[in-house]
PDB file of all heavy atoms in Angstrom:
ATOM      1  N   SER A1496      10.728 -15.474   9.832  1.00 92.00           N
ATOM      2  CA  SER A1496      11.657 -16.597  10.102  1.00 92.00           C
ATOM      3  C   SER A1496      12.639 -16.280  11.161  1.00 92.00           C
ATOM      4  O   SER A1496      13.281 -17.166  11.684  1.00 92.00           O
ATOM      5  CB  SER A1496      12.375 -16.928   8.720  1.00 92.00           C
ATOM      6  OG  SER A1496      13.066 -15.856   8.278  1.00 92.00           O
ATOM      7  N   ARG A1497      12.826 -15.020  11.516  1.00 88.00           N
ATOM      8  CA  ARG A1497      13.661 -14.663  12.582  1.00 88.00           C
ATOM      9  C   ARG A1497      13.228 -13.344  13.184  1.00 88.00           C
ATOM     10  O   ARG A1497      12.414 -12.659  12.549  1.00 88.00           O
ATOM     11  CB  ARG A1497      15.154 -14.570  12.122  1.00 88.00           C
ATOM     12  CG  ARG A1497      15.400 -13.479  11.119  1.00 88.00           C
ATOM     13  CD  ARG A1497      16.921 -13.287  10.948  1.00 88.00           C
ATOM     14  NE  ARG A1497      17.214 -12.316   9.881  1.00 88.00           N
ATOM     15  CZ  ARG A1497      17.188 -11.009  10.004  1.00 88.00           C
ATOM     16  NH1 ARG A1497      16.877 -10.452  11.166  1.00 88.00           N
ATOM     17  NH2 ARG A1497      17.545 -10.215   8.955  1.00 88.00           N
ATOM     18  N   ARG A1498      13.682 -13.022  14.306  1.00 85.00           N
ATOM     19  CA  ARG A1498      13.359 -11.778  14.925  1.00 85.00           C
ATOM     20  C   ARG A1498      13.924 -10.660  14.076  1.00 85.00           C
ATOM     21  O   ARG A1498      15.023 -10.726  13.626  1.00 85.00           O
ATOM     22  CB  ARG A1498      13.905 -11.706  16.319  1.00 85.00           C
ATOM     23  CG  ARG A1498      13.415 -10.431  17.083  1.00 85.00           C
ATOM     24  CD  ARG A1498      13.820 -10.430  18.534  1.00 85.00           C
ATOM     25  NE  ARG A1498      13.344  -9.231  19.219  1.00 85.00           N
ATOM     26  CZ  ARG A1498      13.419  -8.999  20.498  1.00 85.00           C
ATOM     27  NH1 ARG A1498      13.985  -9.873  21.261  1.00 85.00           N
ATOM     28  NH2 ARG A1498      13.017  -7.861  21.011  1.00 85.00           N
ATOM     29  N   MET A1499      13.092  -9.655  13.938  1.00 81.00           N
ATOM     30  CA  MET A1499      13.560  -8.515  13.110  1.00 81.00           C
ATOM     31  C   MET A1499      13.720  -7.250  13.988  1.00 81.00           C
ATOM     32  O   MET A1499      13.013  -7.059  14.878  1.00 81.00           O
ATOM     33  CB  MET A1499      12.566  -8.252  11.966  1.00 81.00           C
ATOM     34  CG  MET A1499      12.395  -9.437  11.023  1.00 81.00           C
ATOM     35  SD  MET A1499      11.183  -9.118   9.713  1.00 81.00           S
ATOM     36  CE  MET A1499      11.991  -7.802   8.882  1.00 81.00           C
ATOM     37  N   PHE A1500      14.640  -6.442  13.546  1.00 82.00           N
ATOM     38  CA  PHE A1500      14.926  -5.218  14.233  1.00 82.00           C
ATOM     39  C   PHE A1500      14.723  -4.061  13.346  1.00 82.00           C
ATOM     40  O   PHE A1500      14.650  -4.184  12.123  1.00 82.00           O
ATOM     41  CB  PHE A1500      16.424  -5.251  14.829  1.00 82.00           C
ATOM     42  CG  PHE A1500      16.635  -6.350  15.763  1.00 82.00           C
ATOM     43  CD1 PHE A1500      17.116  -7.623  15.314  1.00 82.00           C
ATOM     44  CD2 PHE A1500      16.364  -6.214  17.112  1.00 82.00           C
ATOM     45  CE1 PHE A1500      17.370  -8.641  16.236  1.00 82.00           C
ATOM     46  CE2 PHE A1500      16.610  -7.293  18.048  1.00 82.00           C
ATOM     47  CZ  PHE A1500      17.084  -8.451  17.515  1.00 82.00           C
ATOM     48  N   SER A1501      14.593  -2.907  13.934  1.00 85.00           N
ATOM     49  CA  SER A1501      14.444  -1.648  13.136  1.00 85.00           C
ATOM     50  C   SER A1501      13.199  -1.699  12.242  1.00 85.00           C
ATOM     51  O   SER A1501      13.227  -1.179  11.131  1.00 85.00           O
ATOM     52  CB  SER A1501      15.668  -1.416  12.298  1.00 85.00           C
ATOM     53  OG  SER A1501      16.802  -1.255  13.193  1.00 85.00           O
ATOM     54  N   ILE A1502      12.170  -2.336  12.698  1.00 87.00           N
ATOM     55  CA  ILE A1502      10.903  -2.369  11.932  1.00 87.00           C
ATOM     56  C   ILE A1502      10.239  -0.965  11.946  1.00 87.00           C
ATOM     57  O   ILE A1502      10.095  -0.422  13.073  1.00 87.00           O
ATOM     58  CB  ILE A1502       9.989  -3.433  12.426  1.00 87.00           C
ATOM     59  CG1 ILE A1502      10.557  -4.832  12.128  1.00 87.00           C
ATOM     60  CG2 ILE A1502       8.627  -3.247  11.805  1.00 87.00           C
ATOM     61  CD1 ILE A1502       9.675  -5.943  12.606  1.00 87.00           C
ATOM     62  N   VAL A1503       9.875  -0.542  10.863  1.00 92.00           N
ATOM     63  CA  VAL A1503       9.154   0.782  10.798  1.00 92.00           C
ATOM     64  C   VAL A1503       7.679   0.532  10.791  1.00 92.00           C
ATOM     65  O   VAL A1503       6.919   1.230  11.531  1.00 92.00           O
ATOM     66  CB  VAL A1503       9.526   1.512   9.452  1.00 92.00           C
ATOM     67  CG1 VAL A1503       8.707   2.783   9.323  1.00 92.00           C
ATOM     68  CG2 VAL A1503      10.971   1.840   9.418  1.00 92.00           C
ATOM     69  N   SER A1504       7.242  -0.475  10.056  1.00 95.00           N
ATOM     70  CA  SER A1504       5.833  -0.784  10.045  1.00 95.00           C
ATOM     71  C   SER A1504       5.603  -2.287   9.608  1.00 95.00           C
ATOM     72  O   SER A1504       6.452  -2.862   8.952  1.00 95.00           O
ATOM     73  CB  SER A1504       5.034   0.129   9.124  1.00 95.00           C
ATOM     74  OG  SER A1504       5.387  -0.019   7.797  1.00 95.00           O
ATOM     75  N   MET A1505       4.402  -2.757   9.878  1.00 96.00           N
ATOM     76  CA  MET A1505       4.032  -4.077   9.419  1.00 96.00           C
ATOM     77  C   MET A1505       2.578  -3.926   8.954  1.00 96.00           C
ATOM     78  O   MET A1505       1.751  -3.227   9.602  1.00 96.00           O
ATOM     79  CB  MET A1505       4.061  -5.084  10.643  1.00 96.00           C
ATOM     80  CG  MET A1505       5.432  -5.072  11.278  1.00 96.00           C
ATOM     81  SD  MET A1505       5.343  -5.670  13.022  1.00 96.00           S
ATOM     82  CE  MET A1505       4.931  -7.379  12.757  1.00 96.00           C
ATOM     83  N   GLY A1506       2.264  -4.574   7.867  1.00 98.00           N
ATOM     84  CA  GLY A1506       1.000  -4.385   7.279  1.00 98.00           C
ATOM     85  C   GLY A1506       0.454  -5.571   6.499  1.00 98.00           C
ATOM     86  O   GLY A1506       1.172  -6.517   6.266  1.00 98.00           O
ATOM     87  N   TRP A1507      -0.835  -5.468   6.240  1.00 98.00           N
ATOM     88  CA  TRP A1507      -1.544  -6.494   5.421  1.00 98.00           C
ATOM     89  C   TRP A1507      -2.011  -5.699   4.149  1.00 98.00           C
ATOM     90  O   TRP A1507      -2.564  -4.640   4.250  1.00 98.00           O
ATOM     91  CB  TRP A1507      -2.687  -7.043   6.161  1.00 98.00           C
ATOM     92  CG  TRP A1507      -2.320  -8.016   7.223  1.00 98.00           C
ATOM     93  CD1 TRP A1507      -2.256  -7.707   8.576  1.00 98.00           C
ATOM     94  CD2 TRP A1507      -1.972  -9.392   7.082  1.00 98.00           C
ATOM     95  NE1 TRP A1507      -1.815  -8.816   9.222  1.00 98.00           N
ATOM     96  CE2 TRP A1507      -1.686  -9.895   8.340  1.00 98.00           C
ATOM     97  CE3 TRP A1507      -1.918 -10.231   5.996  1.00 98.00           C
ATOM     98  CZ2 TRP A1507      -1.292 -11.177   8.592  1.00 98.00           C
ATOM     99  CZ3 TRP A1507      -1.545 -11.547   6.194  1.00 98.00           C
ATOM    100  CH2 TRP A1507      -1.236 -12.039   7.497  1.00 98.00           C
ATOM    101  N   TYR A1508      -1.787  -6.416   3.011  1.00 98.00           N
ATOM    102  CA  TYR A1508      -2.310  -5.920   1.752  1.00 98.00           C
ATOM    103  C   TYR A1508      -3.081  -7.052   1.102  1.00 98.00           C
ATOM    104  O   TYR A1508      -2.987  -8.179   1.494  1.00 98.00           O
ATOM    105  CB  TYR A1508      -1.118  -5.600   0.821  1.00 98.00           C
ATOM    106  CG  TYR A1508      -0.313  -4.377   1.279  1.00 98.00           C
ATOM    107  CD1 TYR A1508       0.533  -4.436   2.372  1.00 98.00           C
ATOM    108  CD2 TYR A1508      -0.408  -3.164   0.577  1.00 98.00           C
ATOM    109  CE1 TYR A1508       1.237  -3.322   2.804  1.00 98.00           C
ATOM    110  CE2 TYR A1508       0.268  -2.037   1.005  1.00 98.00           C
ATOM    111  CZ  TYR A1508       1.103  -2.099   2.074  1.00 98.00           C
ATOM    112  OH  TYR A1508       1.842  -1.035   2.487  1.00 98.00           O
ATOM    113  N   ARG A1509      -3.906  -6.660   0.070  1.00 98.00           N
ATOM    114  CA  ARG A1509      -4.583  -7.733  -0.646  1.00 98.00           C
ATOM    115  C   ARG A1509      -4.697  -7.373  -2.112  1.00 98.00           C
ATOM    116  O   ARG A1509      -4.615  -6.264  -2.504  1.00 98.00           O
ATOM    117  CB  ARG A1509      -6.023  -7.941  -0.065  1.00 98.00           C
ATOM    118  CG  ARG A1509      -6.950  -6.789  -0.365  1.00 98.00           C
ATOM    119  CD  ARG A1509      -8.307  -7.025   0.388  1.00 98.00           C
ATOM    120  NE  ARG A1509      -9.305  -6.068   0.006  1.00 98.00           N
ATOM    121  CZ  ARG A1509     -10.494  -5.938   0.574  1.00 98.00           C
ATOM    122  NH1 ARG A1509     -10.847  -6.777   1.519  1.00 98.00           N
ATOM    123  NH2 ARG A1509     -11.420  -5.072   0.112  1.00 98.00           N
ATOM    124  N   GLN A1510      -4.845  -8.419  -2.913  1.00 98.00           N
ATOM    125  CA  GLN A1510      -4.961  -8.280  -4.340  1.00 98.00           C
ATOM    126  C   GLN A1510      -6.024  -9.203  -4.855  1.00 98.00           C
ATOM    127  O   GLN A1510      -5.887 -10.462  -4.698  1.00 98.00           O
ATOM    128  CB  GLN A1510      -3.647  -8.501  -5.015  1.00 98.00           C
ATOM    129  CG  GLN A1510      -3.694  -8.173  -6.483  1.00 98.00           C
ATOM    130  CD  GLN A1510      -2.294  -8.083  -7.137  1.00 98.00           C
ATOM    131  OE1 GLN A1510      -1.290  -8.595  -6.537  1.00 98.00           O
ATOM    132  NE2 GLN A1510      -2.198  -7.435  -8.264  1.00 98.00           N
ATOM    133  N   ALA A1511      -7.022  -8.640  -5.458  1.00 97.00           N
ATOM    134  CA  ALA A1511      -8.095  -9.454  -6.038  1.00 97.00           C
ATOM    135  C   ALA A1511      -7.809  -9.598  -7.549  1.00 97.00           C
ATOM    136  O   ALA A1511      -7.011  -8.800  -8.050  1.00 97.00           O
ATOM    137  CB  ALA A1511      -9.440  -8.780  -5.871  1.00 97.00           C
ATOM    138  N   PRO A1512      -8.268 -10.646  -8.108  1.00 92.00           N
ATOM    139  CA  PRO A1512      -8.040 -10.917  -9.570  1.00 92.00           C
ATOM    140  C   PRO A1512      -8.411  -9.656 -10.380  1.00 92.00           C
ATOM    141  O   PRO A1512      -9.500  -9.147 -10.247  1.00 92.00           O
ATOM    142  CB  PRO A1512      -8.918 -12.079  -9.915  1.00 92.00           C
ATOM    143  CG  PRO A1512      -9.128 -12.786  -8.660  1.00 92.00           C
ATOM    144  CD  PRO A1512      -9.144 -11.730  -7.569  1.00 92.00           C
ATOM    145  N   GLY A1513      -7.488  -9.203 -11.236  1.00 94.00           N
ATOM    146  CA  GLY A1513      -7.725  -8.088 -12.129  1.00 94.00           C
ATOM    147  C   GLY A1513      -7.601  -6.813 -11.480  1.00 94.00           C
ATOM    148  O   GLY A1513      -7.829  -5.696 -12.073  1.00 94.00           O
ATOM    149  N   LYS A1514      -7.231  -6.729 -10.203  1.00 96.00           N
ATOM    150  CA  LYS A1514      -7.103  -5.447  -9.479  1.00 96.00           C
ATOM    151  C   LYS A1514      -5.690  -5.279  -8.912  1.00 96.00           C
ATOM    152  O   LYS A1514      -4.955  -6.206  -8.830  1.00 96.00           O
ATOM    153  CB  LYS A1514      -8.125  -5.450  -8.313  1.00 96.00           C
ATOM    154  CG  LYS A1514      -9.550  -5.416  -8.786  1.00 96.00           C
ATOM    155  CD  LYS A1514     -10.492  -5.189  -7.584  1.00 96.00           C
ATOM    156  CE  LYS A1514     -11.943  -5.161  -8.040  1.00 96.00           C
ATOM    157  NZ  LYS A1514     -12.853  -4.890  -6.859  1.00 96.00           N
ATOM    158  N   GLN A1515      -5.385  -4.079  -8.589  1.00 97.00           N
ATOM    159  CA  GLN A1515      -4.099  -3.723  -8.040  1.00 97.00           C
ATOM    160  C   GLN A1515      -4.044  -4.128  -6.546  1.00 97.00           C
ATOM    161  O   GLN A1515      -5.047  -4.183  -5.901  1.00 97.00           O
ATOM    162  CB  GLN A1515      -3.783  -2.285  -8.200  1.00 97.00           C
ATOM    163  CG  GLN A1515      -3.512  -1.786  -9.612  1.00 97.00           C
ATOM    164  CD  GLN A1515      -3.004  -0.395  -9.689  1.00 97.00           C
ATOM    165  OE1 GLN A1515      -3.307   0.479  -8.830  1.00 97.00           O
ATOM    166  NE2 GLN A1515      -2.255  -0.056 -10.734  1.00 97.00           N
ATOM    167  N   ARG A1516      -2.806  -4.378  -6.119  1.00 97.00           N
ATOM    168  CA  ARG A1516      -2.633  -4.646  -4.658  1.00 97.00           C
ATOM    169  C   ARG A1516      -3.015  -3.396  -3.872  1.00 97.00           C
ATOM    170  O   ARG A1516      -2.596  -2.266  -4.288  1.00 97.00           O
ATOM    171  CB  ARG A1516      -1.220  -5.087  -4.414  1.00 97.00           C
ATOM    172  CG  ARG A1516      -0.985  -5.608  -2.997  1.00 97.00           C
ATOM    173  CD  ARG A1516       0.449  -6.123  -2.828  1.00 97.00           C
ATOM    174  NE  ARG A1516       0.695  -7.236  -3.710  1.00 97.00           N
ATOM    175  CZ  ARG A1516       1.822  -7.958  -3.614  1.00 97.00           C
ATOM    176  NH1 ARG A1516       2.730  -7.715  -2.755  1.00 97.00           N
ATOM    177  NH2 ARG A1516       2.018  -8.960  -4.534  1.00 97.00           N
ATOM    178  N   GLU A1517      -3.728  -3.551  -2.789  1.00 98.00           N
ATOM    179  CA  GLU A1517      -4.112  -2.423  -1.990  1.00 98.00           C
ATOM    180  C   GLU A1517      -3.898  -2.688  -0.497  1.00 98.00           C
ATOM    181  O   GLU A1517      -3.890  -3.836  -0.010  1.00 98.00           O
ATOM    182  CB  GLU A1517      -5.657  -2.175  -2.183  1.00 98.00           C
ATOM    183  CG  GLU A1517      -6.570  -3.322  -1.813  1.00 98.00           C
ATOM    184  CD  GLU A1517      -8.025  -3.082  -2.184  1.00 98.00           C
ATOM    185  OE1 GLU A1517      -8.348  -1.959  -2.656  1.00 98.00           O
ATOM    186  OE2 GLU A1517      -8.817  -3.986  -1.992  1.00 98.00           O
ATOM    187  N   LEU A1518      -3.620  -1.545   0.212  1.00 98.00           N
ATOM    188  CA  LEU A1518      -3.439  -1.680   1.640  1.00 98.00           C
ATOM    189  C   LEU A1518      -4.696  -1.995   2.384  1.00 98.00           C
ATOM    190  O   LEU A1518      -5.760  -1.424   2.105  1.00 98.00           O
ATOM    191  CB  LEU A1518      -2.855  -0.308   2.132  1.00 98.00           C
ATOM    192  CG  LEU A1518      -2.664  -0.218   3.630  1.00 98.00           C
ATOM    193  CD1 LEU A1518      -1.575  -1.157   4.173  1.00 98.00           C
ATOM    194  CD2 LEU A1518      -2.365   1.198   4.030  1.00 98.00           C
ATOM    195  N   VAL A1519      -4.557  -2.911   3.313  1.00 98.00           N
ATOM    196  CA  VAL A1519      -5.721  -3.257   4.139  1.00 98.00           C
ATOM    197  C   VAL A1519      -5.609  -2.639   5.502  1.00 98.00           C
ATOM    198  O   VAL A1519      -6.461  -1.910   6.024  1.00 98.00           O
ATOM    199  CB  VAL A1519      -5.873  -4.799   4.278  1.00 98.00           C
ATOM    200  CG1 VAL A1519      -6.959  -5.159   5.260  1.00 98.00           C
ATOM    201  CG2 VAL A1519      -6.085  -5.435   2.972  1.00 98.00           C
ATOM    202  N   ALA A1520      -4.426  -2.850   6.161  1.00 98.00           N
ATOM    203  CA  ALA A1520      -4.214  -2.345   7.479  1.00 98.00           C
ATOM    204  C   ALA A1520      -2.727  -2.308   7.754  1.00 98.00           C
ATOM    205  O   ALA A1520      -1.936  -3.101   7.189  1.00 98.00           O
ATOM    206  CB  ALA A1520      -4.946  -3.221   8.529  1.00 98.00           C
ATOM    207  N   ILE A1521      -2.326  -1.360   8.639  1.00 98.00           N
ATOM    208  CA  ILE A1521      -0.930  -1.224   8.946  1.00 98.00           C
ATOM    209  C   ILE A1521      -0.776  -0.893  10.343  1.00 98.00           C
ATOM    210  O   ILE A1521      -1.651  -0.251  10.966  1.00 98.00           O
ATOM    211  CB  ILE A1521      -0.292  -0.168   8.035  1.00 98.00           C
ATOM    212  CG1 ILE A1521       1.243  -0.237   8.023  1.00 98.00           C
ATOM    213  CG2 ILE A1521      -0.786   1.242   8.337  1.00 98.00           C
ATOM    214  CD1 ILE A1521       1.885   0.580   6.912  1.00 98.00           C
ATOM    215  N   ILE A1522       0.341  -1.357  10.940  1.00 97.00           N
ATOM    216  CA  ILE A1522       0.635  -1.001  12.381  1.00 97.00           C
ATOM    217  C   ILE A1522       2.088  -0.580  12.430  1.00 97.00           C
ATOM    218  O   ILE A1522       2.968  -1.174  11.859  1.00 97.00           O
ATOM    219  CB  ILE A1522       0.403  -2.282  13.233  1.00 97.00           C
ATOM    220  CG1 ILE A1522       0.617  -1.874  14.769  1.00 97.00           C
ATOM    221  CG2 ILE A1522       1.230  -3.449  12.868  1.00 97.00           C
ATOM    222  CD1 ILE A1522       0.129  -2.877  15.713  1.00 97.00           C
ATOM    223  N   SER A1523       2.289   0.614  13.092  1.00 95.00           N
ATOM    224  CA  SER A1523       3.691   1.112  13.132  1.00 95.00           C
ATOM    225  C   SER A1523       4.439   0.479  14.246  1.00 95.00           C
ATOM    226  O   SER A1523       3.955  -0.242  15.072  1.00 95.00           O
ATOM    227  CB  SER A1523       3.547   2.656  13.345  1.00 95.00           C
ATOM    228  OG  SER A1523       3.189   2.901  14.663  1.00 95.00           O
ATOM    229  N   SER A1524       5.698   0.846  14.276  1.00 91.00           N
ATOM    230  CA  SER A1524       6.594   0.338  15.324  1.00 91.00           C
ATOM    231  C   SER A1524       6.128   0.783  16.685  1.00 91.00           C
ATOM    232  O   SER A1524       6.288   0.081  17.673  1.00 91.00           O
ATOM    233  CB  SER A1524       8.026   0.741  15.080  1.00 91.00           C
ATOM    234  OG  SER A1524       8.098   2.161  15.129  1.00 91.00           O
ATOM    235  N   GLY A1525       5.482   1.946  16.773  1.00 91.00           N
ATOM    236  CA  GLY A1525       4.926   2.440  18.015  1.00 91.00           C
ATOM    237  C   GLY A1525       3.600   1.883  18.355  1.00 91.00           C
ATOM    238  O   GLY A1525       3.115   2.199  19.496  1.00 91.00           O
ATOM    239  N   GLY A1526       3.021   1.118  17.495  1.00 92.00           N
ATOM    240  CA  GLY A1526       1.723   0.466  17.791  1.00 92.00           C
ATOM    241  C   GLY A1526       0.521   1.178  17.257  1.00 92.00           C
ATOM    242  O   GLY A1526      -0.664   0.741  17.408  1.00 92.00           O
ATOM    243  N   SER A1527       0.683   2.335  16.588  1.00 96.00           N
ATOM    244  CA  SER A1527      -0.471   2.988  16.007  1.00 96.00           C
ATOM    245  C   SER A1527      -0.946   2.256  14.772  1.00 96.00           C
ATOM    246  O   SER A1527      -0.136   1.643  14.066  1.00 96.00           O
ATOM    247  CB  SER A1527      -0.139   4.462  15.657  1.00 96.00           C
ATOM    248  OG  SER A1527       0.912   4.503  14.741  1.00 96.00           O
ATOM    249  N   THR A1528      -2.207   2.230  14.556  1.00 97.00           N
ATOM    250  CA  THR A1528      -2.836   1.401  13.440  1.00 97.00           C
ATOM    251  C   THR A1528      -3.566   2.338  12.472  1.00 97.00           C
ATOM    252  O   THR A1528      -4.035   3.432  12.859  1.00 97.00           O
ATOM    253  CB  THR A1528      -3.774   0.378  13.983  1.00 97.00           C
ATOM    254  OG1 THR A1528      -4.822   0.998  14.763  1.00 97.00           O
ATOM    255  CG2 THR A1528      -3.053  -0.596  14.856  1.00 97.00           C
ATOM    256  N   ASN A1529      -3.689   1.882  11.258  1.00 97.00           N
ATOM    257  CA  ASN A1529      -4.413   2.565  10.260  1.00 97.00           C
ATOM    258  C   ASN A1529      -5.126   1.554   9.345  1.00 97.00           C
ATOM    259  O   ASN A1529      -4.506   0.509   9.029  1.00 97.00           O
ATOM    260  CB  ASN A1529      -3.514   3.469   9.426  1.00 97.00           C
ATOM    261  CG  ASN A1529      -4.210   4.527   8.656  1.00 97.00           C
ATOM    262  OD1 ASN A1529      -5.399   4.812   8.935  1.00 97.00           O
ATOM    263  ND2 ASN A1529      -3.542   5.187   7.759  1.00 97.00           N
ATOM    264  N   TYR A1530      -6.301   1.830   8.959  1.00 98.00           N
ATOM    265  CA  TYR A1530      -7.103   0.862   8.168  1.00 98.00           C
ATOM    266  C   TYR A1530      -7.634   1.524   6.953  1.00 98.00           C
ATOM    267  O   TYR A1530      -7.959   2.713   6.908  1.00 98.00           O
ATOM    268  CB  TYR A1530      -8.269   0.372   9.017  1.00 98.00           C
ATOM    269  CG  TYR A1530      -7.875  -0.466  10.249  1.00 98.00           C
ATOM    270  CD1 TYR A1530      -7.667   0.220  11.482  1.00 98.00           C
ATOM    271  CD2 TYR A1530      -7.724  -1.772  10.171  1.00 98.00           C
ATOM    272  CE1 TYR A1530      -7.306  -0.519  12.569  1.00 98.00           C
ATOM    273  CE2 TYR A1530      -7.354  -2.559  11.303  1.00 98.00           C
ATOM    274  CZ  TYR A1530      -7.141  -1.894  12.537  1.00 98.00           C
ATOM    275  OH  TYR A1530      -6.783  -2.597  13.609  1.00 98.00           O
ATOM    276  N   ALA A1531      -7.784   0.713   5.929  1.00 97.00           N
ATOM    277  CA  ALA A1531      -8.488   1.142   4.728  1.00 97.00           C
ATOM    278  C   ALA A1531      -9.953   1.351   5.098  1.00 97.00           C
ATOM    279  O   ALA A1531     -10.462   0.641   5.968  1.00 97.00           O
ATOM    280  CB  ALA A1531      -8.379   0.126   3.576  1.00 97.00           C
ATOM    281  N   ASP A1532     -10.577   2.277   4.428  1.00 96.00           N
ATOM    282  CA  ASP A1532     -12.003   2.571   4.805  1.00 96.00           C
ATOM    283  C   ASP A1532     -12.855   1.345   4.619  1.00 96.00           C
ATOM    284  O   ASP A1532     -13.849   1.203   5.399  1.00 96.00           O
ATOM    285  CB  ASP A1532     -12.484   3.667   3.851  1.00 96.00           C
ATOM    286  CG  ASP A1532     -11.948   5.104   4.266  1.00 96.00           C
ATOM    287  OD1 ASP A1532     -11.381   5.177   5.413  1.00 96.00           O
ATOM    288  OD2 ASP A1532     -11.989   6.000   3.501  1.00 96.00           O
ATOM    289  N   PHE A1533     -12.557   0.503   3.669  1.00 94.00           N
ATOM    290  CA  PHE A1533     -13.442  -0.597   3.412  1.00 94.00           C
ATOM    291  C   PHE A1533     -13.378  -1.700   4.418  1.00 94.00           C
ATOM    292  O   PHE A1533     -14.152  -2.680   4.382  1.00 94.00           O
ATOM    293  CB  PHE A1533     -13.199  -1.165   2.043  1.00 94.00           C
ATOM    294  CG  PHE A1533     -11.826  -1.498   1.703  1.00 94.00           C
ATOM    295  CD1 PHE A1533     -11.247  -2.688   2.198  1.00 94.00           C
ATOM    296  CD2 PHE A1533     -10.978  -0.650   0.940  1.00 94.00           C
ATOM    297  CE1 PHE A1533      -9.931  -3.057   1.898  1.00 94.00           C
ATOM    298  CE2 PHE A1533      -9.666  -1.030   0.663  1.00 94.00           C
ATOM    299  CZ  PHE A1533      -9.123  -2.207   1.169  1.00 94.00           C
ATOM    300  N   VAL A1534     -12.463  -1.622   5.390  1.00 92.00           N
ATOM    301  CA  VAL A1534     -12.343  -2.621   6.446  1.00 92.00           C
ATOM    302  C   VAL A1534     -12.534  -2.048   7.893  1.00 92.00           C
ATOM    303  O   VAL A1534     -12.595  -2.794   8.875  1.00 92.00           O
ATOM    304  CB  VAL A1534     -11.107  -3.412   6.399  1.00 92.00           C
ATOM    305  CG1 VAL A1534     -10.880  -4.077   5.047  1.00 92.00           C
ATOM    306  CG2 VAL A1534      -9.857  -2.529   6.796  1.00 92.00           C
ATOM    307  N   LYS A1535     -12.670  -0.778   7.995  1.00 89.00           N
ATOM    308  CA  LYS A1535     -12.828  -0.146   9.292  1.00 89.00           C
ATOM    309  C   LYS A1535     -14.105  -0.707  10.035  1.00 89.00           C
ATOM    310  O   LYS A1535     -15.091  -0.794   9.491  1.00 89.00           O
ATOM    311  CB  LYS A1535     -12.926   1.354   9.165  1.00 89.00           C
ATOM    312  CG  LYS A1535     -11.652   2.067   8.852  1.00 89.00           C
ATOM    313  CD  LYS A1535     -11.767   3.594   8.754  1.00 89.00           C
ATOM    314  CE  LYS A1535     -10.470   4.272   8.612  1.00 89.00           C
ATOM    315  NZ  LYS A1535     -10.597   5.750   8.458  1.00 89.00           N
ATOM    316  N   GLY A1536     -13.774  -1.066  11.265  1.00 93.00           N
ATOM    317  CA  GLY A1536     -14.871  -1.661  12.127  1.00 93.00           C
ATOM    318  C   GLY A1536     -15.041  -3.146  11.879  1.00 93.00           C
ATOM    319  O   GLY A1536     -15.740  -3.785  12.667  1.00 93.00           O
TER     320      GLY A1536
END
């Protein structure tokens, strides 16, 4: 809703019915990315 400062990271998570929320992908303030194995590629 507004510009944010001092961001450390931004990411996507998902939660399927009956399962815990899990990390999908994350991007750091410096631009480096990391992905869950199940979405790589």
